[in-house]
């Protein structure tokens, strides 16, 4: 753990990711989600000579932690920004490999003041980039009942979505949402105790996931971002993506499949007339899941999946 920032460094699927990137020592790489820089450090250790690593994060605290962890590496360029904007942030650069380790870091989850955790009472913020956008409290206080229902359903498969949204509107009419416990209370009032299942974890887990994804706009721009990132690869370069839940994994899987087989001709057409050619191949052996040992050491790795696409 870093002395100054309190960052835990337990990079998920670490060896598997470095292998998937097929690193070349003089390559140019992009870590689109540098976080505590565990993966970035692994990449930098494999590079030498005329090489570079560009590392983005939308969270300034993550960039501070990364800067503390990587002072010895002059090849690293740390940039505050969203990988959805990578094309504008890094114009004209062609990469040998790009990594996305999606979602929130352990540090963000464990820092009570950030509002990601349903275990601590804290201001309901949940923004990865605290310099812009609505906080989770603002979002819950201003979003329509229908849109809250939709987010709970789309971003967390919450089967009590409509009821939770209704209770949120009732509660906010009395007093605006301010803290994490306000959201925990809304879920507690909405989901009958008799139907709660122990194997599904904390009842507020799904609502917190959905609100976090909505506030940080994690899912809707992902498809376009993956297409941009593939465009930024050199031929033969690889895009590796680690996901942590089925909704995000489905977007990555479908985007990679579409780039592998973009043809939109009718299935019974004798020849392709749409002219859309494959952009990537999908190397064998993916998705990769963590080993039992890794899950024992780091239970948060449990739901991780690594996928990889190689530009043709
Ligand atoms: C799971 S952590 C990455 C951990 C990192 N691989 C390591 O080894 O420490 C995810 C990080 O990605 C950042 N992040 C999530 N979505 C992002 C986005 N769209 N653009 C830039 N950073 C993002 C988060 O702020 C967080 O720091």
């Amino acid at each position: 753990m870093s002395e100054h920032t309190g960052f835990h460094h337990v990079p998920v699927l670490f060896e598997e990711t470095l292998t998937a990137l097929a690193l070349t020592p003089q390559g140019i790489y992009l870590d689109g989600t540098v976080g505590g820089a565990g993966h970035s450090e692994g990449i930098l250790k494999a590079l030498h000579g005329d090489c570079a690593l560009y590392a983005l994060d939308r969270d300034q605290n993550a960039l501070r932690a990364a800067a503390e962890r990587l002072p010895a590496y002059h090849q690293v360029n740390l940039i505050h920004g969203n990988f959805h904007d990578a094309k504008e942030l890094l114009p004209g650069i062609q990469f040998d490999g790009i990594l996305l380790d999606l979602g929130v870091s352990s540090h963000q989850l464990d820092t009570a003041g950030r509002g990601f955790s349903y275990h601590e009472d804290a201001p309901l913020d949940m923004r990865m980039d605290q310099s812009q956008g609505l906080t989770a409290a603002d979002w819950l206080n201003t979003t329509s009942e229908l849109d809250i229902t939709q987010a709970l359903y789309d971003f967390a498969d919450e089967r009590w979505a409509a009821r939770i949204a209704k209770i949120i509107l009732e509660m906010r009419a009395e007093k605006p949402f301010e803290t994490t416990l306000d959201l925990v209370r809304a879920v507690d009032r909405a989901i009958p105790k008799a139907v709660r299942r122990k194997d599904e974890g904390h009842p507020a887990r799904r609502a917190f996931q959905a609100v976090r994804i909505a506030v940080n706009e994690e899912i809707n721009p992902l498809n376009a971002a993956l297409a941009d990132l593939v465009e930024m690869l050199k031929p033969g370069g690889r895009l590796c993506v680690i996901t942590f839940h089925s909704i995000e994994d489905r977007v990555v899987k479908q985007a990679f499949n579409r780039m592998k087989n973009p043809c939109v001709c009718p299935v019974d057409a004798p020849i392709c007339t749409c002219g859309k050619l494959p952009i990537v191949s999908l190397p064998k052996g993916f998705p990769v899941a963590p080993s039992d040992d890794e899950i024992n050491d780091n239970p948060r790795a449990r739901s991780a999946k690594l996928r990889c696409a190689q530009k043709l």
Side-chain angles (χ1 to χ4, degrees):
M1 192 192 287
S2 151
E3 260 176 54
H4 304 289
T5 52
F7 253 77
H8 291 276
H9 305 297
V10 192
V12 169
L13 290 164
F14 179 70
E15 293 296 343
E16 294 86 343
T17 302
L18 297 186
T19 305
L21 282 167
L23 299 166
T24 50
Q26 310 211 333
I28 300 181
Y29 291 90
L30 168 61
D31 183 346
T33 53
V34 66
H39 289 107
S40 273
E41 187 174 47
I43 295 171
L44 284 162
K45 281 186 174 157
L47 301 185
H48 56 76
D50 202 6
C51 57
L53 173 70
Y54 293 83
L56 295 180
D57 207 290
R58 65 204 295 199
D59 183 338
Q60 296 276 21
N61 289 335
L63 290 171
R64 275 191 282 277
E68 269 181 33
R69 184 167 185 165
L70 306 172
Y73 297 98
H74 64 274
Q75 310 90 329
V76 68
N77 302 283
L78 293 167
I79 300 162
H80 182 225
N82 190 321
F83 70 76
H84 302 156
D85 305 323
K87 243 170 126 176
E88 291 78 45
L89 291 167
L90 302 164
I93 304 178
Q94 292 280 286
F95 294 94
D96 293 274
I98 299 177
L99 169 63
L100 301 178
D101 179 10
L102 295 175
V104 275
S105 64
S106 299
H107 181 258
Q108 288 165 330
L109 281 172
D110 294 340
T111 306
R114 300 293 299 266
F116 289 107
S117 169
Y118 36 77
H119 294 300
E120 320 261 357
D121 197 15
L124 191 53
D125 187 329
M126 291 203 205
R127 287 169 303 164
M128 293 188 210
D129 183 349
Q130 293 183 294
S131 69
Q132 55 178 296
L134 291 183
T135 65
D138 293 339
W139 187 84
L140 286 167
N141 289 327
T142 54
T143 302
S144 72
E145 185 172 340
L146 189 65
D147 287 349
I148 295 176
T149 307
Q150 198 72 49
L152 290 165
Y153 195 73
D154 289 351
F155 300 150
D157 285 331
E158 174 55 72
R159 59 183 182 283
W160 295 93
R163 205 172 138 72
I164 295 172
K166 184 168 175 286
I167 303 269
I168 287 171
L169 264 83
E170 282 170 19
M171 284 175 62
R172 83 184 190 196
E174 281 173 26
K175 181 183 151 305
F177 277 66
E178 284 173 9
T179 70
T180 47
L181 282 195
D182 291 335
L183 182 54
V184 171
R185 272 187 218 109
V187 175
D188 195 50
R189 276 168 59 175
I191 307 182
K193 298 223 170 21
V195 304
R196 295 185 193 174
R197 293 196 352 223
K198 275 223 170 81
D199 60 343
E200 291 191 335
H202 194 289
R205 184 181 59 80
R206 282 184 301 277
F208 270 69
Q209 174 177 308
V211 173
R212 185 203 94 205
I213 290 175
V215 164
N216 292 289
E217 295 187 271
E218 291 175 50
I219 295 292
N220 297 337
L222 185 55
N223 188 40
L226 294 171
D228 283 355
L229 293 171
V230 166
E231 251 186 77
M232 295 169 76
L233 285 171
K234 294 179 188 168
R238 287 181 165 201
L239 171 59
C240 296
V241 186
I242 303 173
T243 61
F244 287 89
H245 54 82
S246 58
I247 293 148
E248 156 183 279
D249 185 58
R250 198 179 315 137
V251 176
V252 177
K253 179 180 166 179
Q254 290 175 351
F256 281 6
N257 283 338
R258 264 195 309 275
M259 287 191 257
K260 183 186 170 212
N261 184 11
C263 174
V264 290
C265 295
V267 272
D268 54 353
I271 53 162
C272 167
T273 51
C274 75
K276 292 185 192 289
L277 296 174
I279 308 161
V280 301
S281 63
L282 302 183
K284 286 205 174 9
F286 295 93
V288 172
S291 64
D292 291 345
D293 282 352
E294 176 167 2
I295 295 171
N296 281 340
D297 288 350
N298 177 16
R300 279 182 185 159
R302 197 180 332 110
S303 51
K305 259 188 199 171
L306 168 66
R307 292 187 183 272
C308 174
Q310 179 159 12
K311 187 161 177 183
L312 292 174

